[in-house]
Amino acid sequence: MSLLSNRCIALPQYPKLFASIFYFMVVFKLKTSSFHWMLLSTVGILMTGGEMVPGDMTENPKSDAAQEEKSRKSRAAARQAIVLVHGMGEQIPMDTIKSFASTLWVTGVASVAEKATEIWSKPDPRTGSLELRRITTRKSKTGGEFPNGVRNDFYELYWADLTAGSTTNQLVGWVKYLLFRPLRRVPPPVRSAWFLLWFLSLLALAIGSLSFVPATWWLAIAPTWLPQATAIAAAAALGAVLQRMGTATFGRVVKYTRAEPDNIAARAAVRERGLSLLRHLHTGDDYDRIIVVGHSLGSILAYDLIAYFWAEQEVARSIAEGTPAFQSLCRLEESARRLKSAADVTAIKAARTGFRLRQAELRRAMSATERSGGETGWLISDLVTFGSPLTHSEFLLAASKEDLKGRQTARELPTAPPLAEALEEWRIPHARSVGLLPTDSSDDCLMAFPERKKPGFWTLHHGAPFSVVRWTNIHDPSSLIYRGDLISGPLSSAFGSAIEDIDLRQIDRPATTFSHTRYWDSNQSEVRITAFRRAINLLDEDLDWAAEKVKLAALGSLPTGE
């Protein structure tokens, strides 16, 4: 015993040596009696200072640090980015995003903010400009997918500087493109505006022709107090003002929506700025979720960016069989078939709700999937559009309704739900065996296809961003052109039944003024601000919009709309 005691006094001087000896004994299980084995185990523990760590028998600081980091993250609030793409016009950097964030976070109606007054801005290189800043909040209240709340970072995708410099010839060419088409190719909702555009164009031609009116005719038809020279000067001044307003505002529409040689560089620059921001937000593990919001012309850009970014994320949209994400994909495919077959309004509503639930489920599974090489999963959960001219896409983006459908079929313009493509016949049995196709149906179309070089993996095709991105669209139908929002309209009829259209006139009283720029005006009615907040859905809740619209209509004291 004294020998053991003496050795115990000396052994701590060589803890690693004796720890190694003990480890050797453990690995090779030295043949000893039970008593001797217990004795040797006790000696080994004493030799290592009373600590016996599995593996290398020493402490693992890296493992402890990882566990602590995991524990810390489980207690910390999540973090998400909200990217706002502004509309047409000569926007001032940060003006749009400040009012947007203030109404969403600070204004008291149905706010999810825990500390609404704690909101600030700071420089962030991800914005791509020193003129822009990131607006940051404290964490929200708990709820939805965020049991510890969520912190929000607001980014503005500013692009007005890249589309300046439109010429009068470009504007006139665009107006001619809109005017010179048969009436049957003008969508009914915009025919009043189309007739108004014809009237204004003819008026402009009449004013421009004043200088060609003979002086004798002028004296005969004009009032005596209006000399012809004065009328010509006034017409020239008015023409200059209209030309300046037209090129500054609608010139940006021309720059972005028309793929003509003079516009290609500007279109590429705008898209690259937006894609750069999305790439930066997906780098690392700063964010758990990204929401993309587009207003007016910015909604077309936001739509394009999601489509282009999705197409380049080949790793993120690849899903392995047998994983939770793959099971979610199987359920999404079934929901898409159910939505496609829905025949009446009630069935479409129910199927749309189910499909949107599956979209969120798959996106969450994809974002949580660990990937080799440090790639980040897909984080964009929602596209929210306000006052979107995409409702007139057959008028603005295509030559006709048939041309628009053709581009969608070619997967040039993504739809919601995405277009499903037929599998090769010899792959159908496997698709059925893994649950992607029903066994009792002849349907052979899927949004995903099997990877040729990676057996057991399926990839959502490049035109399927809305397999995981929920699309919500708020619009405000107009009356008499100047009341409501003539530019906006429903999108589900043009881009797919999975889009949730929210008609403000069905949940609130009609607007009495032009409302295109007022979707997040803090002076709006409570029901409109609530609809705005529910559409952004900061807590990432699985909303049943049929029920939500009933609540909103009740808040606005109106009958429920479809």
Side-chain angles (χ1 to χ4, degrees), residues 201-334:
S201 300
L202 294 174
L203 180 62
L205 287 175
I207 292 175
S209 65
L210 288 178
S211 59
F212 299 100
V213 177
T216 53
W217 290 15
W218 181 265
L219 291 174
I221 62 174
T224 56
W225 52 266
L226 182 62
Q228 186 176 14
T230 302
I232 292 174
L238 177 61
V241 171
L242 293 177
Q243 184 268 343
R244 173 73 177 82
M245 292 174 60
T247 54
T249 304
F250 294 103
R252 287 180 166 81
V253 180
V254 179
K255 278 278 189 181
Y256 190 75
T257 60
R258 300 288 289 160
E260 296 178 344
D262 291 343
N263 302 333
I264 297 301
R267 285 158 58 94
V270 170
R271 289 167 176 168
E272 184 52 40
R273 181 177 288 181
L275 289 172
S276 176
L277 176 58
L278 292 180
R279 292 178 192 128
H280 279 103
L281 295 179
H282 274 79
T283 301
D285 61 351
D286 286 350
Y287 294 107
D288 302 286
R289 178 191 180 210
I290 298 171
I291 306 168
V292 178
V293 182
H295 173 246
S296 188
L297 181 58
S299 66
I300 300 180
L301 174 54
Y303 168 82
D304 283 349
L305 290 177
I306 288 176
Y308 287 121
F309 188 67
W310 171 263
E312 70 179 38
Q313 299 298 305
E314 294 184 10
V315 174
R317 50 192 174 91
S318 178
I319 303 171
E321 293 177 8
T323 63
F326 186 78
Q327 298 305 315
S328 296
L329 174 62
C330 293
R331 288 188 284 269
L332 178 77
E333 294 279 8
E334 175 58 31

Side-chain angles (χ1 to χ4, degrees), residues 136-148:
T136 301
T137 72
R138 292 287 188 190
K139 72 173 184 177
S140 69
K141 298 174 183 176
T142 60
E145 283 297 302
F146 304 118
N148 297 320

Side-chain angles (χ1 to χ4, degrees), residues 61-77 148 285 370:
K62 185 176 181 180
S63 176
D64 290 345
Q67 289 296 326
E68 175 59 29
E69 176 67 10
K70 185 176 180 180
S71 176
R72 183 191 66 78
K73 285 187 175 181
S74 69
R75 299 190 304 269
N148 297 320
D285 61 351
E370 294 185 6

